[in-house]
Amino acid sequence: MLFRSQRYGEKAHTGPKSFFGLLAANGCKVAPEDLTGKEVAGLNGGHIVQTYGGEGFGIDAMQLEFGSEYRAKEVQKDTAAKVANAVAEYAKLYLKD
């Protein structure tokens, strides 16, 4: 099994065509804002990634955390649409197999 980065290069993990780049393009603020893929101090993957992420399989778990400006009841549908658009575009680019 080839990892996404082996098959598609680093653009699958960092930069404007990465998942976080696509989120940003859909209007979500992401960290790190420079999309380099460098980890942000204090954000260590949390429970989801530690529990469900495997070792040696590339990205197989992701944890997203949203600030109150994305969770407020009046913007939840908009937030969901932005995330869904990013997921759909990422899937078209990198989840073809």
Side-chain angles (χ1 to χ4, degrees), residues 19-20 23 30-31 42-53 59-66 83:
F19 181 69
F20 291 105
L23 275 176
V30 299
L43 301 179
N44 62 3
H47 175 76
I48 300 296
V49 174
Q50 292 173 13
T51 302
Y52 301 106
I59 295 176
D60 58 2
M62 189 179 298
Q63 180 171 328
L64 303 176
E65 297 186 18
F66 295 90
V83 174

Side-chain angles (χ1 to χ4, degrees), residues 3 16-17 25 29 33 46-47 50 54 56 65-66 77-78 84 86 88 97:
F3 300 136
K17 293 294 183 182
K29 182 179 177 185
E33 292 181 23
H47 175 76
Q50 292 173 13
E65 297 186 18
F66 295 90
K77 287 183 181 181
D78 184 53
D97 55 332

Side-chain angles (χ1 to χ4, degrees), residues 2 7 9-10 25 39-40 45 52 71-72 74 77-78 90-91:
L2 288 175
R7 183 170 286 165
E10 281 305 304
E39 293 195 24
V40 177
Y52 301 106
R71 294 190 322 256
E74 61 273 5
K77 287 183 181 181
D78 184 53
Y90 189 86

